[in-house]
């Protein structure tokens, strides 16, 4: 099987450089446009299943992608808490850019280097717990019998719509250097990573952070 693991499209909170976490923001107009552009690029991929974070911005991203698909028909959708974004607790909604910084933390800059070093509030989710739950999601997904390739059948493709931190956590064990959490940057909105798994559960990252729209449209709101 192949998993097309995608970060959601742009939101107003992205543009305003605010931590979203579990805040259930919708996509803005540009976010929907970018997702549809990705959908047009993937329009000939036959998806057997769509799995999404339950948050609105991830759901809308998958809807926009599949609205452009020409070959999949009515794709079953599952919402999975395993790929929901990290919870920032009492930090959610706060400005985190240089020009709007509102976070009471002396070492927040470490977030873009090694999130494990950050002094998160007590009501936030630990980065290690995000890695654990997203890895569990990945393992149970590739173990699903109905998604395995049977002799004479085409390979199954699964669309996964999630979030920036959750996506990096999900892929962490597949990176050559897992200690580098961000792999150089926060993934761009609507970036797609393609993961392949065989019937024995062996998993590898085929393509990373693919941008299917004009790269001049990438907005670098967050930078390690």
């Amino acid at each position: 099987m192949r998993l097309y693991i995608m970060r959601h499209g742009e939101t107003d909170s992205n543009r305003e450089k605010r931590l979203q976490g579990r805040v259930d923001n919708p996509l803005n107009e540009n976010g929907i446009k970018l997702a549809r552009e990705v959908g047009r690029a993937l329009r000939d991929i036959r998806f057997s299943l769509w799995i999404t974070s339950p948050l609105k911005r991830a759901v809308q991203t998958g809807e926009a992608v599949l609205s452009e698909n020409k070959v999949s028909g009515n794709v079953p959708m599952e919402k999975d808490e395993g790929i929901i974004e990290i919870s920032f607790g009492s930090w959610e909604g706060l400005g985190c850019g240089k020009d709007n910084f509102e976070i009471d933390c002396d070492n927040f800059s470490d977030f873009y280097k090694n999130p494990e070093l950050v002094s998160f509030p007590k009501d936030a989710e630990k980065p290690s717990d995000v890695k654990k739950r997203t890895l569990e999601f990945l393992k149970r997904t590739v173990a699903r019998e109905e998604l395995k390739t049977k002799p004479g059948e085409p390979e199954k493709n699964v669309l996964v719509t999630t979030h920036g931190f959750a996506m990096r956590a999900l892929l962490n064990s597949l990176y050559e250097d897992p200690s580098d959490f961000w792999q150089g940057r926060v993934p761009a909105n609507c970036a797609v990573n393609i993961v392949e798994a065989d019937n024995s559960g062996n998993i590898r990252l085929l393509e990373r952070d693919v941008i299917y729209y004009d790269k001049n449209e990438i907005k670098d709101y967050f930078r390690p």
Side-chain angles (χ1 to χ4, degrees), residues 43 45-47 66-67 69-76:
R43 65 185 179 275
I45 302 296
R46 188 181 298 277
F47 289 106
L66 293 174
S67 72
N69 196 275
K70 304 301 182 185
V71 296
S72 297
N74 187 20
V75 181

Side-chain angles (χ1 to χ4, degrees), residues 5-209:
I5 302 171
M6 181 176 178
R7 187 190 175 201
H8 63 78
E10 184 186 85
T11 69
D12 286 344
S13 284
N14 289 154
R15 186 170 289 181
E16 295 166 4
K17 300 179 183 178
R18 295 187 177 276
L19 296 178
Q20 286 185 103
R22 305 288 175 82
V23 178
D24 201 9
N25 291 320
L27 299 182
N28 60 24
E29 184 177 345
N30 186 53
I32 293 172
K33 180 180 81 71
L34 296 181
R36 285 179 175 161
E37 288 184 31
V38 175
R40 286 191 286 274
L42 301 179
R43 65 185 179 275
D44 294 322
I45 302 296
R46 188 181 298 277
F47 289 106
S48 300
L49 179 64
W50 165 33
I51 308 176
T52 183
S53 155
L55 295 178
K56 189 179 300 179
R57 59 192 184 271
V59 175
Q60 289 180 323
T61 297
E63 289 173 342
V65 169
L66 293 174
S67 72
E68 302 290 339
N69 196 275
K70 304 301 182 185
V71 296
S72 297
N74 187 20
V75 181
M77 183 262 274
E78 297 177 2
K79 294 181 180 180
D80 198 308
E81 294 279 346
I83 51 173
I84 199 169
E85 184 59 305
I86 184 174
S87 171
F88 291 108
S90 55
W91 285 357
E92 296 199 339
L94 297 183
C96 58
K98 291 182 179 179
D99 55 348
N100 70 339
F101 194 78
E102 300 173 329
I103 300 166
D104 185 15
C105 178
D106 292 334
N107 70 334
F108 184 78
S109 61
D110 286 331
F111 181 74
Y112 300 113
K113 303 168 188 174
N114 183 351
E116 301 281 357
L117 300 178
V118 177
S119 303
F120 285 98
K122 291 181 179 179
D123 58 352
E125 186 176 18
K126 295 179 181 178
S128 58
D129 289 339
V130 184
K131 289 181 187 178
K132 180 180 178 181
R133 64 171 166 82
T134 54
L135 181 57
E136 288 173 351
F137 163 83
L138 180 61
K139 288 181 176 179
R140 59 182 157 80
T141 299
V142 302
R144 291 174 63 161
E145 288 297 326
E146 76 274 19
L147 296 177
K148 293 181 179 180
T149 304
K150 297 179 177 61
E153 287 187 350
E155 190 165 41
K156 301 287 199 315
N157 297 299
V158 180
L159 176 64
V160 178
T161 48
T162 182
H163 309 267
F165 193 98
M167 188 164 77
R168 283 289 187 251
L170 172 62
L171 299 171
N172 184 256
S173 65
L174 304 181
Y175 291 134
E176 185 175 337
D177 180 10
S179 66
D180 179 7
F181 181 82
W182 288 111
Q183 299 294 302
R185 61 162 294 153
V186 177
N189 290 114
C190 291
V192 178
N193 288 264
I194 303 176
V195 169
E196 184 178 67
D198 63 23
N199 287 354
S200 298
N202 299 305
I203 310 169
R204 65 188 181 113
L205 180 60
L206 290 183
E207 297 190 57
R208 49 188 289 171
D209 294 349

